[in-house]
Structures are given as C-alpha cells and as structure tokens.
Amino acid sequence: MSLFTYYQRGLLLLFSFFLLSCGGRSIPEKAQAVDNFEVERYLGTWYEIARFDFYFERDLDNTTAQYSLNEDGEVKVVNRGFHVKDNEWQQAEGIAKFRGDKKIAELEVSFFGPFYSGYNVIALDPEYQYALIAGKNLDYLWILSREKTIPEAIKQQYLALAQEVGYDISRLIWVNHDKDDQASAPKESHP
C-alpha cells in the first residue's frame, strides 16, 4: 500500500472519530440530566469519590475537579490528581459548555481542542454537595462530593440510580484522598 493510501486512511479515521464525537447522543439512553440546574451553585471544587477507570485518569488518586465561569459563560474545568506511579501531581485544563438549555445539566467538555464529550449531571442533592455524573455512554461515570467523603445513604442512592441507567457499578474505582491537595504545584498533563 502506498504512503498516500495510508495518509488517506488516517484522514478518514480522524474524520470518522470527529463525526462520532460530535454527533449523536451525549448521554446514556436511560439517563436524564438534572433540570432546574444552577451552574453558579455548581462552581467550585469537587472531590472525586469514585469513577470508572479510563486512560486519562489511570493511576490517579486524590483527584479533584474545579469549575469556574469564563467571561463568555463557558465553564473552565481544572482536573487535578496525584499520579501514584510517577509520584507527582498532574493537572489538565478544559472547557465545558451547555448542549442546550442552561437549566438542564447536559454539558460537553473538552480537554483536546475541538473534541467534546458528554458531561451530564444525573443526580444532585438540593444543597449542591453531592453529584452523580454520566459521560456520553456507559463507559464513563463519576461520583463527586464537596468533601473527601460521601454519606452512605447518598452513596447507595447514587449507586442504585447508576445501575438503573445501565452502569456496571462493580467497575467503579474508589478514590483515595490521603494527600494534602495543596502540597505542590501540579505538572501540566492530561489525566
């Protein structure tokens, strides 16, 4: 096969990936995003209590997500965690934007330029202290808290909802929060 054919095939794969990442549903079929969502109350720091393992967060503990509003109304996202194998803090910055109505917690987040993926708040307590986040499909799930722990009753409620949506909750990784999260300046990377 000629070099040109490899180039064409690569472009076709990249274009296909782009179409798949931009089109279609960005929330699992049985999930429903929170309505009457107030983004201003959601801003600030959240501790990752549990997540599905995936490439960008592999080997990270003490993970947090911090959300703030940019001047243009998009949400700045700063994900941070301690890489247990490299023994260092890592950080990635991204942007989240609403897919439609800003009162419905269906957003898209990007850490890599034009490629966005679903970020859907499917459970949120009235005080905005605990959240269950569904990704674009059943491969992405997070449980977040404003503190480093979560009450057992909320945990069980979120696990039951995740199962109803179709998630295999046995895949959850429970995140340790045993380091001082202000310890050192993070190294820029993409967890």
Side-chain angles (χ1 to χ4, degrees):
M1 196 176 290
S2 74
L3 182 59
F4 186 71
T5 305
Y6 281 116
Y7 179 73
Q8 286 177 316
R9 186 175 286 175
L11 283 177
L12 180 62
L13 286 172
L14 182 61
F15 183 70
S16 298
F17 174 76
F18 179 77
L19 287 178
L20 288 173
S21 66
C22 295
R25 287 182 61 87
S26 287
I27 186 170
E29 186 175 332
K30 294 182 182 177
Q32 183 172 344
V34 169
D35 58 9
N36 296 315
F37 182 68
E38 298 175 46
V39 71
E40 294 82 9
R41 293 183 65 198
Y42 194 78
L43 302 176
T45 301
W46 290 86
Y47 291 92
E48 191 177 84
I49 301 300
R51 69 169 183 266
F52 278 6
D53 192 25
F54 66 100
Y55 176 75
F56 298 113
E57 285 191 286
R58 188 146 303 134
D59 298 320
L60 291 182
D61 254 341
N62 298 278
T63 44
T64 59
Q66 186 164 18
Y67 305 99
S68 59
L69 278 183
N70 288 337
E71 289 180 12
D72 61 4
E74 290 182 334
V75 178
K76 179 179 178 182
V77 181
V78 179
N79 286 349
R80 187 167 188 246
F82 189 80
H83 196 281
V84 296
K85 290 185 178 175
D86 293 342
N87 198 35
E88 65 184 7
W89 290 96
Q90 296 183 352
Q91 176 173 304
E93 292 187 19
I95 294 292
K97 59 184 180 180
F98 285 90
R99 293 184 61 228
D101 186 341
K102 291 185 178 186
K103 291 290 185 183
I104 299 174
E106 285 188 4
L107 296 97
E108 297 175 314
V109 67
S110 175
F111 292 93
F112 307 107
F115 302 106
Y116 282 82
S117 188
Y119 180 100
N120 307 284
V121 183
I122 62 171
L124 183 64
D125 72 296
E127 309 306 318
Y128 284 65
Q129 296 300 301
Y130 312 106
L132 179 62
I133 311 302
K136 67 178 182 177
N137 58 36
L138 297 178
D139 290 326
Y140 303 95
L141 181 69
W142 295 267
I143 298 174
L144 304 179
S145 173
R146 295 289 190 176
E147 301 173 358
K148 294 180 179 183
T149 60
I150 191 169
E152 187 64 25
I154 300 287
K155 174 183 166 182
Q156 293 305 321
Q157 177 187 352
Y158 286 4
L159 291 175
L161 176 57
Q163 281 186 304
E164 288 174 22
V165 170
Y167 285 100
D168 174 5
I169 62 170
S170 71
R171 294 179 50 203
L172 282 168
I173 292 172
W174 297 91
V175 178
N176 292 317
H177 286 284
D178 58 356
K179 300 232 180 275
D180 178 6
D181 55 0
Q182 304 300 321
S184 63
K187 177 182 177 182
E188 188 70 25
S189 72
H190 296 283

